[in-house]
Amino acid sequence: MTSTESAAQKAPAKDPWDLPDVSGLVVGVIGGTGPQGQGLAYRLARAGQKVIVGSRAAERARAAAEEIGNGVEGADNAETARRSDVVIVAVPWEGHGDTLTALREDLAGKLVVDCVNPLGFDKKGAYALRPEEGSAAEQAAALLPDSRVTAAFHHLSAVLLKDPEIDAIDTDVMVLGEVRADVETVQALAGRITGMRGVYAGRLRNAHQVESLVANLISVNRRYKAHAGLRVTDV
């Protein structure tokens, strides 16, 4: 067989927008009682996803779930992790490491989506912090060796996510990870939310830049009294 014939028989390149059906996956949100977690839970549940919100206190999680509605359930963090196929981590940066360490066994084998932004604040405004591991997502990967860690949903406005009068969230979601299938699952989840699109943005070593950009968006929002998002052009 000639090299030309061999090339002709190669399978065509995979369409990057050919994403899996994720409608049957159960999504857990650790930190689901906070604004970002509640907003993501609401949007995914509104799109028809089965969602469980988690908190350290089950009672608080159940109260948040009742407020969110759309069939969302509430449970403590450990139960949320165990019952979910995909787990979104939306906790404050200050509790990120301790929360994941405590849930290491419960998150084993799970697809974990870290959306935490390490930020500091002073009189000049928000600024990015750089964790020892390089980023919040890389810290998660180090603390959860038996989980499949990705990073996504960093640049979303909790105000827009939680507003029932807003039908579509006009933004792209940068998705980072080491395994293509995991990244595509998260891209597909983002695409379940009306107006959103998940875009592959590299491996976890590039997560710091994505997490840090939130500091810039906070400055944009304060200056222009907005809830800015991102769009990637020409893809």
Side-chain angles (χ1 to χ4, degrees), residues 156-176:
L156 306 180
S157 163
V159 173
L160 298 184
L161 289 172
K162 294 178 67 177
D163 189 341
E165 299 301 315
I166 294 176
D167 292 326
I169 307 294
D170 181 23
T171 193
D172 284 334
V173 173
M174 304 292 98
V175 185
L176 304 98

Side-chain angles (χ1 to χ4, degrees), residues 12-151:
K14 186 180 187 300
D15 181 351
W17 297 112
D18 180 15
L19 301 174
D21 178 6
V22 296
S23 59
L25 297 180
V26 178
V27 178
V29 184
I30 302 298
T33 58
Q36 194 80 355
Q38 283 192 42
L40 282 168
Y42 169 66
R43 287 291 160 177
L44 288 168
R46 179 170 164 171
Q49 209 74 37
K50 174 61 183 173
V51 178
I52 306 170
V53 293
S55 176
R56 285 177 296 179
E59 295 81 4
R60 188 179 177 196
R62 285 192 284 268
E66 185 175 352
E67 180 181 345
I68 296 167
N70 292 277
V72 174
E73 294 184 38
D76 63 43
N77 283 336
E79 182 181 345
T80 298
R82 289 193 298 269
R83 291 178 56 194
S84 300
D85 302 303
V86 180
V87 179
I88 298 173
V89 179
V91 299
W93 166 241
E94 293 75 14
H96 183 261
D98 290 343
T99 299
L100 295 185
T101 298
L103 295 172
R104 180 177 298 165
E105 292 185 7
D106 301 298
L107 289 170
K110 306 293 183 177
L111 175 53
V112 174
V113 187
D114 200 292
C115 68
V116 175
N117 302 304
L119 296 176
F121 295 86
D122 60 21
K123 62 182 180 181
K124 294 182 179 180
Y127 60 94
L129 302 175
R130 189 169 192 115
E132 182 179 348
E133 297 85 356
S135 64
E138 288 170 295
Q139 183 184 87
L143 293 174
L144 303 173
D146 298 319
S147 303
R148 293 135 48 216
V149 176
T150 60

Side-chain angles (χ1 to χ4, degrees), residues 182-215:
D182 293 338
V183 170
E184 290 179 345
T185 294
V186 180
Q187 287 181 263
L189 276 175
R192 296 270 287 161
I193 300 174
T194 303
M196 250 182 231
R197 184 178 64 159
V199 178
Y200 172 65
R203 295 178 179 268
L204 289 185
R205 68 180 183 180
N206 295 321
H208 173 67
Q209 299 95 291
V210 174
E211 296 169 2
S212 299
L213 189 57
V214 173

